[in-house]
Amino acid sequence: MPIEVRSLTHIYHRGSTSEAVALKDVSFRIDNGEFVGLIGPTGSGKSTLIQHLNGLLKPTSGEVLVDGQNIWDKGMSLRKLRQRVGLVFQYAEQQVFEETVRQDIAFGPRNLGLSEREVMERVEEAARMVGLPADLLDRSPFELSGGQLRRVAIAGVAAMKPEVLILDEPAAGLDPRGRDGILSRIQEMHRGGMTVILVSHNMEDVARLCGRLLVLNKGELVADGTPREVFSRNEFVKKIGLRAPDVVNLMEKLRERGWNVRTDIVNVDEALKEILRELGKEAPVLS
Amino acid sequence: MMSSGVIMGQYYPASSPVHAMDPRAKILISVVFMVVLFVGNNFYAFAIMGAFAGLAIAASKVPVRLLIRGLRPILFIMAFTMVLHLFLTPGPAIFKIGSFTATWAGLIQGLFIGVRLVILIMFTSLLTLTTSPIELTDGLEDILKPFTRLGVPAHELAMMMTIALRFIPTLLEEAERIMKAQMARGADFESGNMVKRAKSLVPLLVPLFVSAFRRADDLAMAMEARCYRGGEGRTRMRQLRMAARDFVAFGLVIVIAALVIVVRIRFGPVVSRV
């Protein structure tokens, strides 16, 4: 299910003194099965943009097309759209409200009007997908740790079986293990055929996971390309207040010192290989 | 969306003599004014008080349009009381609807009550429009201070008010965010009958309460970490000081009060009761 955005502009509080342009003439297209990273400094319009993709915000001007259909056309059901385009908000654990984890994950699928049996099947499937142990399902969500609760919230959206999953900083505020756990689960969901859009401030994460990056700055789409293409423009990335992954900077420093290494490398594994090649050594076998 | 038209409690920032007044003086003047407004029992009294209110509004630089907009929420109450008075006051009839008789006395009485309400709302909204919430609570705390000996927790009440006012926008923002998060999970807040709609609020209210309690906990901790221990021995960064203008304004209100009492004795009520 491709998503297409055409000259999307969004202005908050139009006509009042606090009027603010959040998005300016943004256009792009996301195809089935892509893993897209959405990056940009704080206040660049990332959250505003993703809320347009499932119809929570209405464009001031421009269009959002899903499957070639303008989502604001008459006769389009926004609730159906929100089932197909799932959105996990930042600090999603704050939306949890039910008495048990199972009931909370079931909230979404129940709103779809599924049979109780199917709802329960989906709950268990979603819990497995996000790596939530089955014995936690009947506990109160308020007994869980932050990382587990985040998984509950993501499962709550995943249980609706969206074709596109949008996540706003799903790993923010978690410890390294929680972070890796959640990100690798998202990676698995993508391998299972879901289109994923990941909003993140962590450049290492997006460089490692995403096949394509959209870069927003002050409401404008300023770059659209593979992580390699985006981060090889290191000066530009720095100028808008972002920072390329450490390995990009490392490779540049090595090159400055006269090493004959490539600088268009965005993840640690590639960097290791390249440095060993330069040193004329074999890559060690990592257990 | 919800706040349209409601100006009670809103602050209109400007630099005017009324804004610059001591909040204690403004609160006390408002209280005296309200009492006097109910002492006055004829239109002469309202002419005097209306003139005073008009003077205060002009001096405050608050746009009159804003004040008139503030009357909108009470329009219904005003219309309702005026109609009640029109039909339920005995006297010579103007016209009849079924067994209800509208009277001249009722018309005048209704108008009288209406004018009283308009002056009341306009003048009291002027207090909050020209006094920032912080000043207002500071002033209130000072006025309540004499009652601490009777066990009134003046400082604590003022602090609670300040905190409540501070967190209204925060909670509104949070409510909107949670609402969107639940809508993304297919929640529907808009359709269905009353019961269904009330039920649909559970996914909104539970997280909102949870986070409000967490916030309150954090805030209490942060206050204690900065050695907050209530009002005792606490000094203020902004000291309240009465200035000449405060005494002049207060003197003016006393004169108005005296005038209204004289007018009340001299002319009597607007509709003489039999």
Side-chain angles (χ1 to χ4, degrees):
Chain A
M1 189 179 63
I3 294 182
E4 198 177 344
V5 169
R6 282 190 196 155
S7 13
L8 173 62
T9 296
H10 191 86
I11 302 170
Y12 282 112
H13 310 296
R14 201 165 188 199
S16 79
T17 46
S18 52
E19 181 174 302
V21 181
L23 290 173
K24 244 184 294 183
D25 196 24
V26 171
S27 302
F28 58 85
R29 182 190 157 92
I30 292 174
D31 280 312
N32 284 345
E34 278 197 85
F35 197 136
V36 178
L38 182 58
I39 58 176
T42 310
S44 57
K46 304 182 297 283
S47 297
T48 306
L49 176 59
I50 55 174
Q51 287 178 44
H52 279 92
L53 302 184
N54 74 342
L56 283 172
L57 286 178
K58 193 173 181 177
T60 307
S61 71
E63 299 174 322
V64 178
L65 297 111
V66 170
D67 258 346
Q69 276 269 346
N70 187 335
I71 62 169
W72 289 100
D73 273 353
K74 279 218 176 95
M76 288 290 286
S77 159
L78 287 174
R79 290 186 67 194
K80 281 212 179 92
L81 170 73
R82 287 175 193 146
Q83 177 209 335
R84 301 175 68 193
V85 181
L87 173 57
V88 180
F89 274 83
Q90 203 171 357
Y91 301 111
E93 60 275 20
Q94 288 171 7
Q95 72 187 31
V96 170
F97 70 99
E98 276 284 8
E99 283 169 42
T100 65
V101 170
R102 188 188 297 276
Q103 293 304 322
D104 199 86
I105 300 175
F107 180 69
R110 264 200 198 121
N111 284 331
L112 301 179
L114 301 170
S115 73
E116 197 56 20
R117 228 188 77 208
E118 194 167 350
V119 169
M120 283 308 138
E121 276 171 21
R122 284 200 179 196
V123 168
E124 275 158 33
E125 192 187 339
R128 266 199 304 280
M129 266 161 81
V130 300
L132 210 59
D135 60 306
L136 290 183
L137 281 179
D138 293 304
R139 298 263 287 275
S140 159
F142 298 102
E143 295 169 13
L144 270 51
S145 74
Q148 288 168 330
L149 212 48
R150 187 75 58 86
R151 284 172 198 239
V152 172
I154 296 173
V157 174
M160 297 172 77
K161 291 200 176 164
E163 293 158 60
V164 179
L165 184 64
I166 308 170
L167 304 111
D168 193 350
E169 290 276 10
L174 297 184
D175 58 23
R177 192 197 293 171
R179 169 172 208 105
D180 289 346
I182 280 188
L183 291 175
S184 61
R185 292 297 167 164
I186 292 167
Q187 209 171 8
E188 271 166 39
M189 283 188 243
H190 172 244
R191 285 195 193 116
M194 242 181 229
T195 308
V196 178
I197 301 172
L198 176 70
V199 177
S200 178
H201 276 299
N202 188 310
M203 300 300 132
E204 266 78 20
D205 288 347
V206 291
R208 186 165 52 88
L209 297 167
C210 303
R212 176 181 169 200
L213 294 182
L214 297 175
V215 187
L216 279 181
N217 187 36
K218 293 182 183 149
E220 285 177 275
L221 188 65
V222 289
D224 177 356
T226 63
R228 205 184 295 278
E229 283 162 1
V230 171
F231 289 128
S232 63
R233 298 164 67 192
N234 204 352
E235 282 312 305
F236 164 77
V237 170
K238 256 186 218 154
K239 209 182 83 194
I240 63 172
L242 297 175
R243 179 188 53 78
D246 288 338
V247 286
V248 172
N249 294 314
L250 172 70
M251 298 315 265
E252 276 182 6
K253 286 257 158 65
L254 287 175
R255 192 156 185 119
E256 276 168 31
R257 300 224 170 156
W259 288 45
N260 184 24
V261 290
R262 280 163 47 209
T263 54
D264 62 342
I265 278 168
V266 292
N267 68 54
V268 179
D269 293 343
E270 275 182 57
L272 179 66
K273 268 189 207 144
E274 182 69 7
I275 291 170
L276 289 170
R277 184 197 57 73
E278 170 71 4
L279 290 170
K281 287 185 182 165
E282 283 291 307
V285 180
L286 298 174
S287 55
Chain B
M1 144 192 97
M2 281 188 291
S3 58
S4 63
V6 182
I7 61 158
M8 288 283 259
Q10 234 183 66
Y11 178 57
Y12 179 85
S15 77
S16 80
V18 181
H19 283 77
M21 272 173 71
D22 189 300
R24 291 170 297 181
K26 280 193 267 189
I27 295 170
L28 288 176
I29 286 173
S30 300
V31 171
V32 172
F33 188 90
M34 276 189 270
V35 172
V36 175
L37 193 60
F38 284 90
V39 169
N41 61 351
N42 53 42
F43 283 107
Y44 300 109
F46 284 177
I48 299 167
M49 305 202 67
F52 178 74
L55 204 71
I57 290 166
S60 73
K61 294 187 186 163
V62 173
V64 181
R65 268 201 7 243
L66 191 64
L67 281 160
I68 290 173
R69 196 152 26 105
L71 290 174
R72 226 186 281 157
I74 61 146
L75 265 181
F76 173 74
I77 304 171
M78 263 171 61
F80 188 68
T81 45
M82 278 166 83
V83 169
L84 275 189
H85 279 289
L86 180 61
F87 286 104
L88 297 181
T89 315
I94 315 173
F95 60 87
K96 274 188 177 183
I97 300 172
S99 55
F100 295 105
T101 318
T103 62
W104 286 110
L107 182 67
I108 293 168
Q109 184 73 25
L111 276 177
F112 175 78
I113 299 289
V115 171
R116 181 183 268 169
L117 276 174
V118 168
I119 298 178
L120 180 73
I121 297 296
M122 279 192 147
F123 196 80
T124 45
S125 359
L126 198 61
L127 173 65
T128 51
L129 281 167
T130 61
T131 319
S132 74
I134 295 279
E135 282 182 308
L136 204 60
T137 45
D138 275 2
L140 213 57
E141 180 181 347
D142 246 43
I143 290 173
L144 288 177
K145 209 165 250 169
F147 299 102
T148 39
R149 274 193 219 133
L150 303 174
V152 178
H155 169 79
E156 283 70 18
L157 281 175
M159 181 58 86
M160 276 159 60
M161 257 179 75
T162 313
I163 292 172
L165 287 170
R166 155 68 183 78
F167 277 98
I168 288 172
T170 312
L171 285 177
L172 277 179
E173 220 169 81
E174 190 133 313
E176 193 189 323
R177 217 166 46 88
I178 294 169
M179 207 157 158
K180 278 182 175 169
Q182 305 300 23
M183 274 160 78
R185 295 207 279 166
D188 182 1
F189 294 104
E190 272 137 19
S191 58
N193 56 24
M194 287 279 275
V195 179
K196 207 179 151 213
R197 266 205 239 183
K199 264 190 184 162
S200 75
L201 285 179
V202 172
L204 171 65
L205 291 180
V206 172
L208 200 58
F209 271 102
V210 170
S211 100
F213 279 118
R214 189 179 311 122
R215 250 178 231 289
D217 241 9
D218 289 350
L219 182 67
M221 194 79 86
M223 284 167 83
E224 273 182 3
R226 287 188 278 171
C227 305
Y228 177 80
R229 33 203 309 258
E232 213 174 315
R234 192 174 160 85
T235 55
R236 281 225 189 99
M237 193 167 92
R238 287 176 307 267
Q239 295 285 343
L240 295 177
R241 269 200 199 90
M242 291 273 194
R245 72 164 80 80
D246 299 304
F247 292 110
V248 170
F250 206 78
L252 209 55
V253 171
I254 298 299
V255 171
I256 299 269
L259 271 178
V260 168
I261 291 168
V262 169
V263 164
R264 181 188 165 99
I265 294 164
R266 173 75 181 71
F267 296 102
V270 63
V271 176
S272 43
R273 302 224 155 67
V274 191

